[in-house]
């Protein structure tokens, strides 16, 4: 899948870190791993212990000879604690470039590239509540995803932008996922289950510092998105009961809501921070890349919803996810990295001046996405983007506590909050 001479067409990791000596080397490596993916050696796979590490069953070589189910670690950490959410997976190469290799060198798990031995990594541990069942008999781990410091609940994984053919976001692979039936506010059994999971999670001392909730977009209801909002309110109240506090560190990643809906979320639940993802910081590219979002809400209204949320949740407690680099997808994206960087950072500056932070992820060309065959930007671009977004956040004095390197770990720009 990779292009044979891709290495000679862009700066290497070493050259990029020499070009930007103040940029943390491990964050540059983390970005590059995310950009290019990782492949196990058989020896490295022997180090995966599903009894101790956080793994999920993944079908590899799907639909091909050799198809099998493996326990795949859902992320790893570098030696300084920097978290990477890159799936360590065997059969999903990114288009254009070769993946890094995870191998065993002198008894340690090490990243290797082109025969050069790089950093040591370790897999995340699974939490104590995994393996337990709720009073309804539901396996607790089936109700959540976890990161080293947070528990994520996903009441409804189905995103309804996909209901209309061609309306899903073009970089997104989620339409191929099936994760159980859609939960509604009448599913009392589910709400009891997540209350019990949250109660167990907080018993593990020193493990979790935040709850997190995310679901697919659902614009049905009396007013658009009422169904989605009502589901979150009930789900967050159920989780919040486990802590017995009015407010707990709780982040919601959700659709763009009206002021009235945002007020309900803030006033009726323990929620403290809200993310709604503009994804692409350019109106014209947004319309092309996220057609469902553009049709149902629109770029300007999406922005306005972020600003409304700042009035309710406070500056720095609202952020927008970005799919970093997707603005360069072709044929309608920016034609050069210079042009893209300038435009994206100018728009980020304008939005941040209203009190909104950003959480950027590295664009990956997933197998089931419309953009699967696209070439993603250079590492040089991603380093400049992460640094530029971090500078914009600092310029306006915004925090990013619930999406930072500790609680999330999926965003190169918020990793830099560590050196604020
Ligand atoms: S909103 Fe876009 S990115 Fe998110 S799940 Fe739906 S289609 Fe995918």
């Amino acid at each position: 899948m990779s292009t044979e001479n891709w290495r000679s067409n862009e700066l290497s990791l070493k050259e990029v870190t020499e070009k930007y000596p103040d940029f943390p080397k491990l964050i540059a490596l983390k970005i590059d791993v995310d950009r290019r993916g990782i492949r196990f050696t058989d020896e490295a796979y022997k180090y995966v212990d599903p009894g101790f590490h956080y793994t999920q069953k993944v079908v590899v070589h799907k639909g091909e000879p050799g198809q099998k189910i493996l326990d795949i670690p859902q992320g790893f950490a570098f030696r300084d604690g920097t978290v990477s959410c890159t799936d360590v997976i065997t059969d999903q190469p990114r288009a254009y470039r070769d993946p890094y290799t995870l191998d065993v060198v002198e008894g340690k798990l090490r990243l290797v590239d082109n025969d050069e031995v790089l950093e040591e990594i370790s897999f995340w541990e699974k939490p104590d509540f995994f393996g337990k069942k709720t009073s309804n008999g539901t396996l607790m781990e089936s109700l959540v995803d976890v990161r080293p410091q947070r528990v994520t609940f996903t009441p409804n994984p189905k995103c309804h932008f996909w209901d209309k053919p061609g309306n899903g976001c073009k970089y997104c692979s989620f339409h191929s996922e099936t994760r159980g039936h859609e939960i509604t506010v009448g599913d009392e059994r589910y709400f009891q289950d997540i209350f019990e999971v949250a109660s167990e999670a907080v018993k593990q001392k020193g493990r979790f510092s935040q709850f997190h909730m995310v679901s697919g977009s659902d614009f049905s209801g009396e007013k658009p998105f009422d169904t989605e909002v009502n589901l979150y309110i009930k789900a967050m109240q159920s989780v919040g009961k486990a802590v017995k506090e009015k407010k707990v560190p709780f982040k919601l990643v959700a659709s763009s809501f009206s002021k009235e809906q945002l007020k309900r979320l803030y006033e009726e639940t323990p929620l403290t921070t809200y993310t709604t993802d503009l994804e692409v910081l350019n109106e014209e590219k947004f319309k092309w890349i996220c057609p469902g979002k553009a049709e149902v809400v629109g770029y300007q209204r999406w922005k306005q919803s972020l600003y409304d949320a700042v009035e309710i949740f406070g500056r720095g407690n609202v952020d927008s996810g970005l799919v970093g680099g997707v603005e360069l997808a072709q044929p309608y994206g920016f034609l050069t990295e210079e042009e893209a960087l300038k435009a994206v950072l100018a728009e980020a500056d304008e939005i941040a001046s209203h009190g909104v932070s950003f959480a950027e992820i590295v664009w990956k060309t997933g197998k089931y996405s419309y953009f699967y065959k696209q070439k993603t930007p250079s590492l040089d671009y991603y380093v400049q983007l992460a640094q530029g977004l971090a500078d914009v956040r600092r310029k306006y004095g915004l925090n990013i506590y619930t999406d930072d390197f500790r609680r999330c770990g999926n965003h190169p720009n918020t990793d830099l909050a560590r050196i604020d």
Side-chain angles (χ1 to χ4, degrees):
M1 194 67 203
S2 64
T3 304
E4 219 167 278
N5 62 349
W6 68 269
R7 287 180 196 269
S8 56
N9 295 334
E10 57 186 46
L11 295 183
S12 66
L13 173 67
K14 184 164 180 288
E15 288 164 329
V16 170
T17 52
E18 280 167 5
K19 185 173 173 185
Y20 305 102
D22 293 335
F23 194 88
K25 287 190 175 58
L26 283 179
I27 306 298
L29 174 60
K30 165 180 159 158
I31 296 173
D32 210 27
V33 165
D34 218 6
R35 197 177 69 110
R36 290 172 43 195
I38 302 185
R39 197 177 283 147
F40 276 112
T41 61
D42 290 345
E43 198 52 29
Y45 189 68
K46 289 183 193 157
Y47 279 58
V48 179
D49 177 359
F52 183 69
H53 298 129
Y54 175 42
T55 61
Q56 287 190 356
K57 302 245 177 253
V58 175
V59 183
V60 296
H61 308 304
K62 201 172 182 178
E64 295 164 15
Q67 172 175 318
K68 55 187 165 186
I69 298 173
L70 293 179
D71 292 295
I72 298 289
Q74 295 301 291
F76 61 86
F78 289 105
R79 64 194 151 89
D80 69 341
T82 294
V83 165
S84 170
C85 304
T86 305
D87 289 353
V88 184
I89 202 160
T90 51
D91 75 336
Q92 291 203 9
R94 316 275 198 255
Y96 192 72
R97 303 176 181 93
D98 300 303
Y100 280 80
T101 301
L102 185 63
D103 205 351
V104 178
V105 181
E106 293 170 356
K108 295 192 157 103
L109 280 173
R110 302 283 288 258
L111 289 169
V112 178
D113 188 37
N114 238 0
D115 295 331
E116 188 186 353
V117 179
L118 299 160
E119 288 294 326
E120 182 184 349
I121 64 122
S122 56
F123 300 130
W124 302 341
E125 292 171 22
K126 66 181 190 180
D128 290 351
F129 68 81
F130 274 35
K132 294 187 180 173
K133 287 187 175 169
T134 67
S135 56
N136 288 319
T138 313
L139 199 56
M140 289 191 174
E141 64 225 58
S142 70
L143 295 159
V144 291
D145 294 305
V146 296
R147 299 250 169 101
Q149 290 200 20
R150 82 178 193 198
V151 190
T152 295
F153 298 88
T154 309
N156 180 9
K158 186 170 167 48
C159 173
H160 287 270
F161 288 129
W162 290 103
D163 293 353
K164 183 169 166 187
N167 252 15
C169 302
K170 289 187 166 58
Y171 51 81
C172 176
S173 307
F174 291 162
H175 61 299
S176 62
E177 284 190 6
T178 47
R179 293 171 62 183
H181 75 290
E182 287 187 65
I183 300 295
T184 67
V185 286
D187 276 312
E188 294 302 338
R189 187 185 162 106
Y190 173 77
F191 298 106
Q192 176 64 25
D193 277 352
I194 61 172
F195 160 68
E196 290 181 27
V197 170
S199 304
E200 278 302 309
V202 296
K203 284 183 192 162
Q204 186 175 355
K205 292 215 178 334
R207 170 78 199 230
F208 296 110
S209 60
Q210 183 195 16
F211 292 121
H212 181 247
M213 192 166 285
V214 60
S215 276
S217 285
D218 185 348
F219 30 90
S220 66
E222 203 175 309
K223 300 209 178 97
F225 295 108
D226 265 358
T227 304
E228 190 179 334
V229 170
N230 290 335
L231 181 63
Y232 292 138
I233 288 175
K234 188 142 181 194
M236 285 192 284
Q237 286 173 343
S238 305
V239 172
K241 264 195 310 184
V243 186
K244 301 183 188 75
E245 297 284 343
K246 191 161 181 284
K247 288 281 175 193
V248 294
F250 206 138
K251 174 173 205 65
L252 176 68
V253 180
S255 300
S256 150
F257 299 136
S258 68
K259 216 173 194 175
E260 189 190 334
Q261 289 167 329
L262 291 166
K263 267 196 192 139
R264 286 188 62 209
L265 286 166
Y266 187 75
E267 286 167 7
E268 297 176 31
T269 77
L271 184 64
T272 50
T273 52
Y274 167 70
T275 298
T276 189
D277 299 336
L278 259 176
E279 323 278 18
V280 188
L281 290 189
N282 177 279
E283 186 161 10
E284 186 198 322
K285 319 289 178 219
F286 172 88
K287 273 191 198 154
W288 172 53
I289 296 170
C290 305
K293 290 188 170 202
E295 182 182 292
V296 176
V297 181
Y299 189 79
Q300 294 303 335
R301 265 183 58 208
W302 208 289
K303 269 169 72 168
Q304 188 55 49
S305 174
L306 283 161
Y307 304 159
D308 290 344
V310 171
E311 279 182 33
I312 295 159
F313 289 85
R315 287 172 63 83
N317 293 327
V318 176
D319 65 88
S320 167
L322 304 179
V323 182
V326 80
E327 55 277 0
L328 281 146
Q330 294 304 311
Y332 302 117
F334 292 104
L335 292 176
T336 67
E337 293 187 350
E338 293 71 25
E339 189 193 0
L341 198 64
K342 199 168 159 213
V344 166
L345 292 180
E347 178 72 343
D349 190 283
E350 205 285 311
I351 294 172
S353 72
H354 294 259
V356 177
S357 303
F358 295 99
E360 170 234 348
I361 59 163
V362 173
W363 170 33
K364 292 174 276 288
T365 48
K367 207 169 181 175
Y368 302 103
S369 75
Y370 180 88
F371 282 157
Y372 177 42
K373 299 278 167 75
Q374 296 262 342
K375 177 185 162 191
T376 56
S378 67
L379 177 60
D380 192 333
Y381 181 77
Y382 278 113
V383 164
Q384 291 185 75
L385 182 63
Q387 187 64 62
L389 290 170
D391 291 345
V392 164
R393 184 180 55 74
R394 287 182 190 125
K395 177 177 167 187
Y396 292 102
L398 303 172
N399 69 59
I400 188 80
Y401 296 141
T402 54
D403 236 339
D404 71 359
F405 56 97
R406 290 195 192 91
R407 279 95 186 171
C408 184
N410 203 19
H411 313 295
N413 67 312
T414 67
D415 277 334
L416 298 175
R418 185 174 190 159
I419 47 178
D420 272 5

